[in-house]
Amino acid sequence: MELFTVNQETCNRDGICAAVCPIGIIAWRQGELPAPAPGAEQACIRCGHCVAVCPTASLRHRDMPLETCPPVRPELRLGPEQCAHFIRARRSIRTYKERPVEHEKLAQLIDMAHYAPSGINSQGAHWLVIGNREHLHRLSGMVVEWMGWVLAEMPELARGMHVQQTIEQWHAGRDVILRGAPVLIVAHADKEHRMAASTCTIALTTLELAATSLGLGGCWAGYFNAAATVFPPLQAALDLPEGHQCFGAMMIGYPKFAYHRLPTRKTPPIDWRM
């Protein structure tokens, strides 16, 4: 079967599919049917733009059956006011209920996050979900151990990261590494892939935003991620696939408290060159 086929009875011959193809592998001339350009099979990134944009559902991609691509529902689109409220209402959640997070919700959350942009549709993010509290506590302890090394060997960096205060809080019985979150989600990828870092960062950002729709909240585990990139004991504990690196981690759980206001932010510096 060809990479894609076009229904000549229903196709508008408008060339929209060719116009939106990011790789330019759809050949089209005015009044003619679209067709795969030379080398299309190898160059196609399977992004689905051609399937999604066709107004008559005439283009069928071999690797993306039309039946698996539901239609856009305009009634579910956010308006500007709703979108602004959604973004402004997002909070970094650092206090969680004792309630565990259901496996089904975590799977649903990652399913939403994996539709995030990934650069030529590489989809290189892999996920590690840790939900055992004892294991999470041990991982926090490893981060504190790494911080002790930073404090001794890199005092200037330690001051900027508030390492001394963090270690003191840990020994006082307060975990400010993973904040007692019931779940930690790690995004990891092949460290040699040139888009690994941005892919994981965008995916985790999307995941944090999506969490609110499930009644969950999240917070970036910055200390954890910093240690996971350089500290061998923590890397061994994570046991990621060969050649993979942690490119970000997110604490997830049910927020203990509700927020009732939309805080302000600094005015963004903009250099207009219109």
Side-chain angles (χ1 to χ4, degrees):
M1 178 180 174
E2 284 193 276
L3 182 66
F4 66 83
T5 57
V6 178
N7 186 328
Q8 60 181 332
E9 300 297 327
T10 59
C11 177
N12 288 339
R13 292 169 167 79
D14 50 26
I16 297 175
C17 55
V20 303
C21 178
I23 310 299
I25 60 168
I26 300 178
W28 174 79
R29 286 192 295 186
Q30 189 71 39
E32 296 185 359
L33 286 173
E41 178 74 37
Q42 293 73 33
C44 179
I45 62 173
R46 277 70 179 173
C47 65
H49 276 23
C50 55
V51 174
V53 81
C54 181
T56 59
S58 298
L59 189 146
R60 301 184 71 92
H61 195 291
R62 183 191 63 210
D63 301 327
M64 195 166 298
L66 201 61
E67 296 73 22
T68 65
C69 303
V72 171
R73 296 174 59 186
E75 72 274 14
L76 295 183
R77 291 186 184 273
L78 293 177
E81 186 176 3
Q82 292 170 306
C83 188
H85 184 276
F86 171 69
I87 293 172
R88 287 191 64 183
R90 183 213 63 83
R91 302 262 63 81
S92 294
I93 303 301
R94 297 180 177 86
T95 51
Y96 301 92
K97 295 179 180 179
E98 289 296 320
R99 175 183 172 183
V101 182
E102 300 86 343
H103 182 278
E104 295 76 13
K105 279 197 174 183
L106 294 169
Q108 186 179 3
L109 184 58
I110 292 174
D111 183 64
M112 288 190 279
H114 97 284
Y115 285 97
S118 59
I120 61 170
N121 199 37
S122 55
Q123 302 180 58
H126 294 238
W127 304 91
L128 169 64
V129 182
I130 305 172
N132 180 289
R133 287 188 179 273
E134 291 184 5
H135 186 39
L136 291 170
H137 188 74
R138 287 196 298 272
L139 294 178
S140 290
M142 291 180 182
V143 176
V144 173
E145 182 184 345
W146 167 74
M147 285 183 162
W149 179 86
V150 173
L151 185 63
E153 303 295 331
M154 308 175 73
E156 289 189 16
L157 175 62
R159 279 192 293 273
M161 294 177 61
H162 310 292
V163 163
Q164 180 69 53
Q165 300 93 314
T166 302
I167 294 174
E168 290 173 358
Q169 290 191 69
W170 172 263
H171 289 300
R174 183 162 183 254
D175 178 7
V176 294
I177 306 299
L178 296 180
R179 304 280 179 171
V183 175
L184 182 71
I185 298 180
V186 175
H188 59 95
D190 182 350
K191 61 185 177 182
E192 299 300 326
H193 196 287
R194 59 189 177 91
M195 288 172 292
S198 60
T199 292
C200 290
T201 299
I202 295 170
L204 276 175
T205 301
T206 303
L207 183 141
E208 185 195 19
L209 289 170
T212 61
S213 70
L214 299 174
L216 301 170
C219 183
W220 288 82
Y223 285 142
F224 177 90
N225 186 58
T229 59
V230 296
F231 193 48
L234 182 55
Q235 292 171 337
L238 290 178
D239 192 26
L240 300 179
E242 183 70 27
H244 276 223
Q245 177 180 319
C246 169
F247 284 102
M250 185 76 62
M251 298 172 260
I252 290 289
Y254 286 98
K256 188 174 183 179
F257 306 108
Y259 290 84
H260 306 285
R261 303 288 182 274
L262 304 178
T264 61
R265 291 291 185 264
K266 294 185 293 183
T267 300
I270 304 175
D271 183 9
W272 294 101
R273 299 182 182 180
M274 307 292 287

